[in-house]
Amino acid sequence: MTERRASGFLIFLLLAGLVAFAPAAAAEPAGERPDIRLVLVIIVDQLRGDALDGDLSRLSGGGFNRFYQEGLVYRRALMRFAPTSTGPGHATLATGALPSVHGIAGNEWWDRSSGKKVYCTADPQHGLVGSPVPSPAGFSPRNLRAETLGDALFRRSSGASRTLAVSLKDRSAILMAGHRGKAVWYLRQEGRFVSSDYYYPQLPAWLEDFNTKRMKALDTASWTLLLPEARYRFADRDDQPWERNYQDFGRTFPHRLEDTLDPGSALRLMPLADELTVELAIRGATAEGLGRGPATDLLVVALSATDYIGHSFGPDSLEWEDNLMRLDSQVARLLEWADREIGPDHALVALSADHGIASAPEFLDLQGEAAGRIDVPGMLEGLRHELTDEFGLKADPLLGAKMPAIYLDWRVMDHAGVDRETAERAAGRYVERVEGVAAALTRTDLLSGRVPAGEPMQRILAGFDKDRSGDLVIVQQPGWYLENDPEKYATNHGSPYDYDAHVPMMFLAPGLPSAVSDRVVGTDDLAPSIAGFLGFDGPAQASGVLLEEIASAAGAGSYNPPQ
């Protein structure tokens, strides 16, 4: 570790209060605790909670079905926060904490002091490693304010435990890797996997070899249907009007990279992207000897193709349906590797998702449901005029907007002598008149805990960070699309509703019961449950709990609150 990184992490520990944190002694099980050498965490980006309903019969026996047959499956895992997006979703899975604590309040937010937009894993102090083209972008976990599962393993083992996280997305890999792990992700501009000098001074040989030999042989790759067309629910709907023809990738099968405007970007819309992620993760884990060291190691494989495919085609499409079949084969591949190289008695495997996905509003409309696309550009322009006219402002009253958050420019308000709470409420009144908007929650009310009753609103409260969240948080009507660009995607996620917050959560480990539960649990329970099974408390800031079925198997006391 470099001196800069070591000192940076020490500052993190001091700020988070982790130096003084000492794990409590876990209750010893009646029998011998399983010797877990590797924790394998699989995160599927955008796996909606009902995605596997009715599809298990078409899937292999070695992927999702294996969890259902041999593992512990929670069909009703919910995100206890919003926005339900990639950054907050992965950070919560990694830390067991909510965004109001871990600080990843969105994929992006506005910084008040600089007046600039901040990306959740941006760090100008740590540049890219592995890109042949110099880039001003830098990446690290500096914005993550909480300890991750990997960090807790490192602390508990006095530095012997290792973490590797691999994904298409930098934010998925970095937030899951935490402050003490290694992160690797895909750079679409170069069509190769890279990292940051926070993790590596230069790319390790196994990663450079993968880029040189594997990533340069993809130009003619194509995506065809895995099964006979008649076996698909959406076989007769391969070209729906709301689907997006991203980079000329096409709206019908087959999809060919050689037909696209930007193969490096379009690759992310193919199941092949997950296949490459899995292959690289296995190579990296093998080269680094994960699962063969003196302490329990952690391998995180964050699979992102489902998210890109869902945004472009929607979850009610032939593409999404076929991708699920191919995703299943990659889950099976990871489980087979863990069995072969680590052994089923020495591996704990967990699988979940960072968020769900809404159906395209046009699809919902065909089903007779109220839905639509909120005119966000028109809303923001109208809000500017409303506030300027009401308060006699001489400058733009908006600092920025990243749905569902709107940031007012406090300097403009202060200069005009406008009370901030008064400005928030005026902005909220205007936004709530926009078609498709259910509510606009103000910063003042959120900081005071004053939100309307109901689970969706409580999720927004749990996702609100006082330093990084906006002055207004917009809640759309169910089924309505909310994004800065109303036409960017076929559909989106981010809302506090169950279709975005509901995901599956599954575990495979020696001694765990084989059961399928409809009991409601939280995605923030994943990291504490893994830690509890291994025999310690953690991560440090986690508010999630050790689930009672896992606690019983591990011989530990349950941390579940009374029902």
Side-chain angles (χ1 to χ4, degrees):
M1 180 185 304
T2 64
E3 180 179 342
R4 177 188 292 168
R5 183 177 172 191
S7 62
F9 188 72
L10 178 59
I11 292 171
F12 162 78
L13 291 177
L14 291 170
L15 289 174
L18 301 184
V19 171
F21 175 82
E28 287 297 322
E32 185 177 350
R33 188 179 296 277
D35 175 23
I36 301 299
R37 300 172 187 172
L38 180 73
V39 174
L40 169 60
V41 175
I42 306 168
I43 306 299
V44 180
D45 198 324
Q46 203 190 98
L47 185 62
R48 198 162 76 173
D50 62 358
L52 300 175
D53 294 352
D55 279 317
L56 290 173
S57 63
R58 293 189 293 170
L59 302 180
S60 72
F64 292 112
N65 268 312
R66 183 167 169 196
F67 285 97
Y68 277 84
Q69 293 161 4
E70 302 176 21
L72 177 59
V73 175
Y74 296 96
R75 297 179 65 250
R76 290 283 298 164
L78 292 171
M79 275 157 280
R80 296 180 171 128
F81 62 89
T84 46
S85 52
T86 301
H90 281 83
T92 293
L93 287 162
T95 65
L98 300 174
S100 55
V101 173
H102 62 59
I104 305 300
N107 291 339
E108 297 172 310
W109 56 81
W110 258 260
D111 177 65
R112 296 285 184 184
S113 59
S114 67
K116 296 180 180 179
K117 186 164 59 176
V118 175
Y119 180 60
C120 63
T121 53
D123 182 355
Q125 299 297 316
H126 292 284
L128 281 175
V129 170
S131 172
V133 179
S135 170
F139 300 90
S140 87
R142 67 176 296 181
N143 292 321
L144 181 64
R145 295 170 174 161
E147 183 185 49
T148 65
L149 174 64
D151 296 333
L153 284 167
F154 184 93
R155 168 175 52 79
R156 176 175 179 258
S157 66
S158 300
S161 178
R162 297 159 298 165
T163 294
L164 173 65
V166 182
S167 180
L168 288 181
K169 295 184 180 181
D170 59 81
R171 56 187 179 271
S172 303
I174 290 170
L175 296 171
M176 294 303 298
H179 300 269
R180 290 293 203 173
K182 306 283 191 184
V184 171
W185 61 90
Y186 177 70
L187 186 65
R188 63 178 176 82
Q189 295 90 338
E190 303 297 331
R192 56 193 278 121
F193 283 85
V194 298
S195 188
S196 156
D197 64 20
Y198 181 89
Y199 306 107
Y200 298 104
Q202 60 186 26
L203 289 191
W206 55 267
L207 181 48
E208 195 62 72
D209 182 72
F210 186 85
N211 282 328
T212 300
K213 297 179 180 177
R214 187 72 168 96
M215 297 304 294
K216 290 189 175 180
L218 303 175
D219 291 346
T220 60
S222 64
W223 178 13
T224 59
L225 290 175
L226 180 66
L227 303 177
E229 190 171 299
R231 295 189 61 185
Y232 292 89
R233 290 175 53 215
F234 292 96
D236 60 346
R237 285 179 276 180
D238 188 20
D239 188 3
Q240 302 181 99
W242 53 83
E243 295 179 357
R244 297 299 187 258
N245 183 21
Y246 178 75
Q247 296 289 341
D248 274 355
F249 190 60
R251 301 197 320 197
T252 60
F253 282 97
H255 298 280
R256 291 183 289 262
L257 278 185
E258 61 186 351
D259 295 337
T260 68
L261 299 174
D262 182 354
S265 295
L267 173 64
R268 300 173 300 170
L269 277 71
M270 300 178 70
L272 173 61
D274 281 347
E275 180 183 334
L276 293 166
T277 303
V278 168
E279 183 178 335
L280 180 59
I282 289 174
R283 284 200 192 190
T286 302
E288 300 287 345
L290 295 189
R292 301 185 181 280
T296 302
D297 294 321
L298 172 63
L299 174 63
V300 182
V301 187
L303 302 173
S304 306
T306 302
D307 184 71
Y308 290 108
I309 292 166
H311 279 304
S312 292
F313 301 99
D316 309 288
S317 66
L318 185 57
E319 283 82 2
W320 205 92
E321 193 176 1
D322 186 73
N323 173 68
L324 185 65
M325 313 297 168
R326 295 181 179 276
L327 173 66
D328 177 68
S329 67
Q330 295 310 310
V331 172
R333 184 180 182 186
L334 284 166
L335 296 180
E336 291 166 2
W337 170 81
D339 284 347
R340 182 177 65 253
E341 299 298 327
I342 308 300
D345 293 334
H346 301 294
L348 184 160
V349 185
L351 185 149
S352 192
D354 60 340
H355 55 73
I357 185 66
S359 292
E362 294 82 3
F363 176 85
L364 293 174
D365 184 64
L366 289 176
Q367 312 307 307
E369 299 182 34
R373 296 177 183 267
I374 296 175
D375 178 12
V376 172
M379 177 182 71
L380 295 176
E381 187 60 25
L383 179 59
R384 285 187 172 93
H385 288 299
E386 179 82 4
L387 296 178
T388 298
D389 292 346
E390 181 167 346
F391 298 117
L393 303 177
K394 303 299 184 183
D396 188 347
L398 304 187
L399 178 64
K402 174 59 179 174
M403 294 297 108
I406 296 177
Y407 296 75
L408 302 180
D409 193 326
W410 292 348
R411 292 168 298 184
V412 172
M413 299 300 172
D414 293 347
H415 185 265
V418 181
D419 177 72
R420 292 177 181 179
E421 182 177 353
T422 301
E424 290 171 10
R425 297 200 182 283
R429 287 193 297 271
Y430 176 83
V431 169
E432 287 182 343
R433 298 198 299 268
V434 173
E435 184 182 19
V437 173
L441 308 182
T442 69
R443 164 178 289 273
T444 299
D445 284 345
L446 285 162
L447 288 174
S448 302
R450 297 192 299 264
V451 297
E455 184 65 24
M457 299 302 179
Q458 290 301 313
R459 289 172 186 160
I460 292 171
L461 188 62
F464 189 83
D465 180 271
K466 65 183 181 63
D467 298 316
R468 295 170 175 173
S469 295
D471 298 299
L472 282 185
V473 177
I474 302 171
V475 186
Q476 68 264 54
Q477 296 284 356
W480 280 75
Y481 176 103
L482 179 65
E483 175 63 46
N484 283 45
D485 179 353
E487 302 300 328
K488 182 176 183 179
Y489 301 126
T491 186
N492 206 3
H493 49 82
S495 82
Y497 301 118
D498 277 6
Y499 53 76
D500 284 340
H502 174 205
V503 297
M505 192 159 73
M506 313 175 183
F507 299 88
L508 269 175
L512 278 186
S514 176
V516 177
S517 173
D518 283 324
R519 185 166 73 88
V520 174
V521 299
T523 56
D524 53 323
D525 298 332
L526 183 131
S529 292
I530 293 173
F533 186 84
L534 296 176
F536 69 100
D537 297 347
Q541 288 81 21
S543 55
V545 299
L546 168 57
L547 296 168
E548 59 190 26
E549 296 86 352
I550 295 176
S552 298
S558 172
Y559 304 148
N560 277 284
Q563 298 296 316

